[in-house]
Amino acid sequence: MSLLVLTGCGIRATTVPVDVGPAPSRVSCDTPEQPRAGQSGVQGFRATVELVCGSQLVGVERIVPVPEKRQLRDPVALVAQALLEQLERQSSGEERDAGFTSVVPQGLSAGAPRPGDATGTVRLSRKPEDLEPVALAQVVCTLASSDAVSAGAGPVVLGGPDADPPRAWECTDAVRSRPESIPTLGELVDPTAGATAPTPS
């Protein structure tokens, strides 16, 4: 196969034989259309979950059912649990065909804050810093887009199952484009500084 190099910056046009090999596989990252709440027996609330596609995070709209763990009385933890279950579920055939995957581990769950935690804190069943960076980025960016968890903006306050103080993580454009670069540790949260993530109305 020949590649034509165009004239530019004083370089003559020439024909150079180049073995480019097979064409690289590409994914579309086109988000499939989701059914409306109440259609086809789907009951729940509409939310955006962050999936991995082409080494980046891409938001996919889904109808999120209320989790079975209804014993979660904390409304923030209840919504967070529902979103985690979406991140853990197997992608649909349409999503897989478009290149979407998730690396959030099975069994990760959300719990209510401990006494003394800042308002809006979500306690995970594993330490956030122990998660694979891309999985942590998925969790942070998914929760950050939820009005119930972070009012759709600002940091997400996460803690683990132990007494370690919670930390705040932000979903930035840099994190979305390079989810593996999310800081292992977020910023420590001062519970006396007020609510970092508002309680849903």
Side-chain angles (χ1 to χ4, degrees):
M1 177 178 180
S2 296
L3 177 66
L4 180 63
V5 180
L6 299 177
T7 304
C9 302
I11 301 175
R12 292 182 307 160
T14 182
T15 301
V16 181
V18 178
D19 182 10
V20 296
S25 60
R26 298 195 177 189
V27 291
S28 68
C29 294
D30 290 335
T31 56
E33 185 176 351
Q34 297 294 315
R36 297 179 181 178
Q39 288 186 343
S40 302
V42 178
Q43 300 292 335
F45 59 94
R46 186 174 292 275
T48 300
V49 296
E50 298 288 337
L51 301 180
V52 183
C53 191
S55 301
Q56 299 183 0
L57 296 187
V58 179
V60 175
E61 278 199 355
R62 284 181 177 171
I63 302 301
V64 181
V66 177
E68 295 181 359
K69 296 183 178 180
R70 296 177 182 270
Q71 67 268 26
L72 288 172
R73 297 182 180 180
D74 182 80
V76 174
L78 186 66
V79 172
Q81 176 64 35
L83 294 173
L84 288 180
E85 290 178 4
Q86 287 297 302
L87 289 173
E88 295 169 17
R89 89 171 204 193
Q90 186 176 13
S91 299
S92 67
E94 288 181 307
E95 291 171 346
R96 290 194 300 275
D97 290 343
F100 290 99
T101 60
S102 178
V103 298
V104 175
Q106 295 291 320
L108 184 66
S109 60
R114 297 172 63 93
D117 286 349
T119 304
T121 296
V122 175
R123 286 281 180 174
L124 301 177
S125 57
R126 290 177 57 180
K127 289 184 178 182
E129 57 267 28
D130 288 345
L131 295 173
E132 181 183 340
V134 176
L136 176 59
Q138 281 189 260
V139 171
V140 168
C141 288
T142 297
L143 297 184
S145 67
S146 169
D147 289 338
V149 179
S150 69
V156 174
V157 183
L158 300 175
D162 53 21
D164 288 348
R167 293 176 180 268
W169 277 267
E170 288 189 280
C171 179
T172 63
D173 289 340
V175 169
R176 290 176 61 86
S177 62
R178 294 187 60 204
E180 73 281 358
S181 68
I182 189 170
T184 303
L185 291 176
E187 296 293 327
L188 279 171
V189 177
D190 180 5
T192 65
T196 304
T199 303
S201 57

